[in-house]
């Protein structure tokens, strides 16, 4: 099967097309294959195709699944894309290469302590509650400068900002707003866009897109 005929090839082609429209370089967009809930046998075909950046949302699941895969594919980059509990900070720092859910001072302290203990400085995206939704994680827009300053003071590398726009609403204004907040705070990284809206996200400056269903099919399928 040619790569262009596979789900991975199709997603890569769409990212490339959107980058061309936006006058961006495709190499500046990192595709995170969201492998959460999918077993190793579903992940191996993507690894064989050359995909090396994957996302998990639970520390325990990643601990169960990835050590064996990484033994075979040592150049894999693993991103934690789900909400992180402070008591799991040390496990996350030991296992992941990037954390996308820094959203509160208590987690910041736990991550800083874990990084000092392990000697691993893991880049983090600050998660912003871009739609001001009570049920969602993420710091308030107004609190971004303060959390960013505290992260830098604690020696945590900040990769950029991350968001999950409200469901069922056109995501473009939320992506554009995150882009502006990042620019206002001197941050280049933008983790935004999933299977249903990653093309829009790429057009609006995403540097990291988190794609699961478009690559693996429906969860558990």
């Amino acid at each position: 099967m040619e790569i262009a005929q596979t789900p991975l090839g199709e997603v890569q082609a769409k990212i490339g097309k959107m980058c061309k429209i936006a006058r961006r370089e495709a190499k500046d967009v990192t595709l995170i294959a969201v492998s959460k809930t999918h077993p190793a046998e579903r992940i191996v075909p993507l690894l064989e195709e050359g995909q090396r950046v994957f996302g998990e949302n639970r520390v325990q699941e990643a601990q169960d699944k990835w050590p064996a895969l990484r033994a075979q594919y040592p150049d894999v980059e693993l991103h934690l894309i789900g909400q992180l509990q402070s008591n799991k900070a040390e496990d996350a720092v030991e296992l992941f290469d990037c954390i996308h859910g820094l959203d509160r001072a208590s987690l910041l302290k736990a991550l800083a302590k874990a990084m000092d203990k392990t000697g691993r400085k893991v880049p983090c995206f600050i998660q912003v509650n871009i739609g001001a939704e009570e049920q969602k994680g993420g710091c308030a827009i107004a609190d971004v400068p303060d959390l960013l300053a505290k992260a830098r003071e604690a020696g945590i590398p900040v990769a950029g900002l991350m968001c999950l726009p409200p469901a069922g609403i056109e995501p473009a204004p939320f992506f554009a707003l995150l882009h502006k907040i990042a620019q206002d705070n001197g941050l280049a990284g933008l983790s935004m866009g999933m299977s249903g809206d990653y093309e829009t996200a790429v057009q609006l400056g995403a540097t990291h897109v988190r794609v699961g269903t478009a690559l693996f099919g429906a969860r558990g399928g």
Side-chain angles (χ1 to χ4, degrees):
M1 184 181 285
E2 294 178 10
I3 191 165
Q5 295 176 310
T6 66
L8 177 60
E10 289 176 12
V11 171
Q12 289 172 332
K14 286 177 180 177
I15 289 173
K17 180 182 177 182
M18 290 302 111
C19 283
K20 195 171 182 180
I21 290 170
R23 297 184 178 179
R24 302 180 63 199
E25 295 288 334
K27 64 178 176 59
D28 294 332
V29 179
T30 298
L31 170 60
I32 302 170
V34 179
S35 48
K36 65 180 185 181
T37 77
H38 295 292
E41 56 266 27
R42 294 288 305 279
I43 297 169
V44 168
L46 265 73
L47 286 162
E48 288 294 312
E49 259 188 88
Q51 176 66 22
R52 286 296 180 270
V53 186
F54 290 83
E56 295 283 341
N57 73 335
R58 293 183 185 277
V59 174
Q60 183 63 55
E61 184 183 346
Q63 286 174 323
D64 292 343
K65 197 160 60 179
W66 278 98
L69 287 168
R70 275 182 148 169
Q72 289 180 274
Y73 305 91
D75 55 341
V76 159
E77 191 177 298
L78 203 55
H79 291 233
L80 179 63
I81 59 169
Q83 200 158 23
L84 177 61
Q85 295 176 323
S86 296
N87 64 354
K88 293 282 188 181
E90 188 174 330
D91 288 340
V93 166
E94 287 178 339
L95 182 62
F96 291 93
D97 302 297
C98 188
I99 293 168
H100 289 240
L102 175 54
D103 62 355
R104 59 197 187 278
S106 59
L107 178 58
L108 187 153
K109 289 176 185 174
L111 285 169
K113 184 179 178 182
M115 288 184 197
D116 287 342
K117 182 178 179 180
T118 62
R120 293 195 82 216
K121 292 291 185 181
V122 180
C124 295
F125 284 87
I126 290 177
Q127 183 176 350
V128 182
N129 189 347
I130 203 72
E133 298 174 274
E134 288 184 13
Q135 75 277 19
K136 272 191 184 169
C139 74
I141 292 171
D143 295 338
V144 170
D146 182 57
L147 191 61
L148 175 59
K150 286 177 178 173
R152 287 173 169 162
E153 189 179 323
I156 294 175
V158 179
L161 302 181
M162 177 271 224
C163 78
L164 292 160
I169 303 175
E170 169 56 46
F174 298 99
F175 292 154
L177 177 57
L178 193 75
H179 192 179
K180 182 182 186 303
I181 297 167
Q183 286 186 320
D184 290 347
N185 287 279
L187 295 169
L190 287 169
S191 172
M192 59 188 196
M194 298 186 292
S195 287
D197 54 21
Y198 70 89
E199 292 170 81
T200 301
V202 169
Q203 279 189 282
L204 291 169
T207 59
H208 294 70
V209 291
R210 311 177 303 270
V211 180
T213 303
L215 294 172
F216 290 99
R219 243 180 262 178

